[in-house]
Amino acid sequence: MAETNVTKDVAVNSQQDPSQKIDLLGMDRQAMEAFFASIGEKPFRAGQVMKWIHQFGVSDFEEMTNLSKALREKLLKLAQVRTPKIVAEQLSEDGTIKWLLEVDNHNSVEAVFIPEKNRGTLCISSQVGCALECSFCSTGQQGFNRNLENWEIIAQMWVANKALGCKPKEERRISNVVFMGMGEPLLNVTHTFPAARILMDDFAYGLSKRRVTISTAGVVPAIDKIKEEVDVSLAISLHAPNNPLRDILVPINQKYPLEVLMPSLHRYVEGGHSKKHVTVEYVMLDKVNDRTEHAEQLVALLGDLPCKVNLIPFNPFPNTDYKRSSNNAIHRFRAILEEGGLNVTVRKTRGEDIDAACGQLAGKVSDRTKRTLHRVEFSGKSLN
C-alpha cells in the first residue's frame, strides 16, 4: 500500500516537475514488476517495457506500441526513461570507442567499448571518480564525488548498444560487460547489483553470468555477497604479492590485507553448481612490482586458487612517476608464473591513443574529498 501511495503522489506532481517521475531505466525485473503492481497493472507489463527500453533502445512511451493507449498515458504521467547526455565520443585507431557521459551538471563518467575478433567488451563505470586512491590509476587521482545510481550505470550499456546499432536477434556487438571503469563497484553494491541483474535479464540484454564481470580492489564483505545476490564473474585488482607493497599501490589493502582477502576469493570459487575461477589483474610497473621475487611471491600467494592471471602493461597518464615494465621483464615474470602452474595472459593495450586503456579513465569529477580540484579535459577525434 505504501508503494501505491508514493506512486499516487508522484502522479500528482509529475506534470509540473519531471524530476519527480519514477525512472524505469535502472529498474531490474523485480523492481519493475513491483512498480506495475503499484499502479494497478499486471506484472507481465514489466517484461514488455524492459524489452522496449533495453532491447529496442526506446525511451518514449508513445513508441511502445504493444501497450494500450491508456497505459501509455499513465506511464507518461508517472514515469520516465532518463538517459544521459553524450558529451563526447572518441574513436581509437584500433577501433576502441570511448564515450563521455554527463550524469549531472558537475560530473561526467566514461565508458569504453573494445572490439575484438571473437567478442566485444564494454567497460562501464560505477562511481564518479574513486575513493580508493590507487597510486597507479588515473581515476584514483581525480578524487571522488558520489556513487552512480542504477540508471546511470545501466545507461552506459543503453548508450553503447544504441550507438553501435545493436538490434534484437542480431549478432551481439557487446558480448561482455566488465565493471572496470571509474570507481570501485563493490563500494556501490546498492546500485551495481541491480544493474548487473538487468544486464543478465532475458527481457533486457540477456548476457550470461560468465560474461558479466565485477572487478574489485578487495572489498571483502561485498565479495561474499556476490554469489548470493548476482553470481557474476569476479576479477580482483591485486597488483602486488605482499602486504607492504600492496599497502602503497592499493591502499584498501590496509583495511583488508592479503590474509583477509585471499580466503574471500576461495569462498567465492567454492560451492555452487558451476565451476568458478577468479581473474587476477596485475599491472606491470617498472622496478616496482615486476621483479623475480615478486613473481615467486605471487605463485606462492595464489597457490591452488582457481584463477587466471592477467598481466597488464602500465598505461601512463599525466603527472605520474610510474613507468611501464619492459617487454623482457613482462615475459620473464610470465614465465615464472607459468612454471609455477598458473594460467597467464598479457593484456594487449587498447585505446591508448584516446586515453581509454586500463587505468586511464578520468572523466570529469567534482571532487568532494578535496583531494584535488584537477579536471581532465576530454578532447579528441569525433566519430561523426
Side-chain angles (χ1 to χ4, degrees):
M1 184 62 69
E3 287 181 339
T4 302
N5 290 337
V6 169
T7 305
K8 287 180 178 178
D9 291 340
V10 171
V12 171
N13 298 322
S14 61
Q15 290 181 334
Q16 287 76 29
D17 185 2
S19 68
Q20 295 298 312
K21 292 186 176 182
I22 295 174
D23 197 324
L24 303 187
L25 181 63
M27 284 189 180
D28 61 18
R29 197 191 313 185
Q30 183 179 9
M32 188 83 80
E33 288 177 348
F35 164 72
F36 277 102
S38 76
I39 63 172
E41 297 288 341
K42 299 293 185 183
F44 77 87
R45 296 296 186 191
Q48 289 180 311
V49 172
M50 288 184 75
K51 282 185 176 182
W52 280 113
I53 294 172
H54 300 291
Q55 296 184 8
F56 292 95
V58 172
S59 58
D60 184 349
F61 296 122
E62 290 288 359
E63 297 180 27
M64 300 182 182
T65 52
N66 62 346
L67 305 182
S68 69
K69 182 178 179 181
L71 178 53
R72 295 200 301 269
E73 290 177 350
K74 185 186 291 189
L75 291 175
L76 284 169
K77 293 177 181 178
L78 292 174
Q80 63 181 334
V81 179
R82 183 168 33 164
T83 56
K85 175 184 177 183
I86 300 177
V87 179
E89 52 186 1
Q90 291 176 275
L91 176 63
S92 169
E93 293 180 355
D94 61 25
T96 298
I97 305 172
K98 182 170 75 169
W99 293 277
L100 181 69
L101 305 176
E102 182 179 275
V103 292
D104 56 51
N105 292 332
H106 306 288
N107 297 287
S108 301
V109 298
E110 294 179 343
V112 177
F113 174 67
I114 306 164
E116 299 178 76
K117 184 176 181 180
N118 298 316
R119 65 181 181 179
T121 300
L122 183 69
C123 177
I124 61 178
S125 299
S126 56
Q127 295 179 313
V128 181
C130 186
L132 296 189
E133 298 188 68
C134 295
S135 58
F136 55 87
C137 178
S138 179
T139 308
Q141 305 310 303
Q142 303 310 305
F144 173 78
N145 185 273
R146 65 177 176 86
N147 288 330
L148 292 179
E149 297 180 13
N150 302 21
W151 78 269
E152 293 169 319
I153 297 174
I154 202 64
Q156 298 168 68
M157 179 67 165
W158 189 92
V159 166
N161 226 35
K162 200 171 182 69
L164 295 170
C166 300
K167 296 180 180 178
K169 299 182 181 179
E170 292 186 357
E171 184 177 354
R172 294 183 189 274
R173 294 289 304 278
I174 301 173
S175 61
N176 297 66
V177 176
V178 294
F179 287 78
M180 295 183 184
M182 299 172 65
E184 166 54 62
L186 294 190
L187 288 180
N188 185 20
V189 295
T190 301
H191 301 110
T192 294
F193 285 178
R197 285 193 285 268
I198 294 171
L199 290 170
M200 295 184 289
D201 197 302
D202 288 340
F203 286 114
Y205 302 100
L207 297 176
S208 75
K209 58 189 177 183
R210 294 184 301 106
R211 295 186 178 275
V212 178
T213 301
I214 291 178
S215 175
T216 178
V219 184
V220 170
I223 291 174
D224 289 330
K225 292 181 179 179
I226 289 180
K227 275 204 301 188
E228 58 191 64
E229 296 203 25
V230 286
D231 197 24
V232 295
S233 297
L234 176 66
I236 179 72
S237 295
L238 192 64
H239 309 306
N242 60 66
N243 282 324
L245 180 55
R246 197 164 192 266
D247 284 347
I248 297 170
L249 297 179
V250 188
I252 197 174
N253 192 75
Q254 298 169 37
K255 185 173 185 179
Y256 303 113
L258 292 173
E259 58 269 23
V260 176
L261 173 61
M262 296 309 297
S264 76
L265 302 183
H266 282 275
R267 290 193 296 271
Y268 167 80
V269 301
E270 291 168 356
H273 299 292
S274 57
K275 187 175 181 180
K276 292 184 177 296
H277 73 275
V278 175
T279 299
V280 177
E281 309 282 354
Y282 195 99
V283 66
M284 299 296 293
L285 303 168
D286 184 44
K287 298 180 176 60
V288 175
N289 66 349
D290 63 349
R291 297 173 181 169
T292 298
E293 59 266 32
H294 295 135
E296 293 170 345
Q297 290 170 12
L298 188 57
V299 170
L301 176 70
L302 297 179
D304 60 353
L305 176 71
C307 66
K308 177 182 72 174
V309 181
N310 197 354
L311 301 180
I312 306 169
F314 173 66
N315 297 303
F317 56 88
N319 303 316
T320 180
D321 294 327
Y322 290 116
K323 296 180 180 180
R324 180 180 297 179
S325 298
S326 68
N327 288 336
N328 286 340
I330 294 173
H331 293 155
R332 180 175 63 248
F333 200 93
R334 176 178 185 169
I336 295 172
L337 299 186
E338 289 179 336
E339 289 172 7
L342 296 175
N343 180 12
V344 188
T345 60
V346 177
R347 180 181 293 175
K348 181 180 179 181
T349 298
R350 301 290 300 273
E352 191 173 12
D353 57 320
I354 57 171
D355 292 332
C358 180
Q360 290 185 324
L361 298 191
K364 179 182 177 184
V365 181
S366 179
D367 181 24
R368 289 173 54 197
T369 67
K370 298 183 179 179
R371 187 187 315 159
T372 176
L373 296 178
H374 179 59
R375 295 288 186 272
V376 173
E377 297 297 326
F378 188 89
S379 62
K381 296 178 290 184
S382 171
L383 285 177
N384 298 322

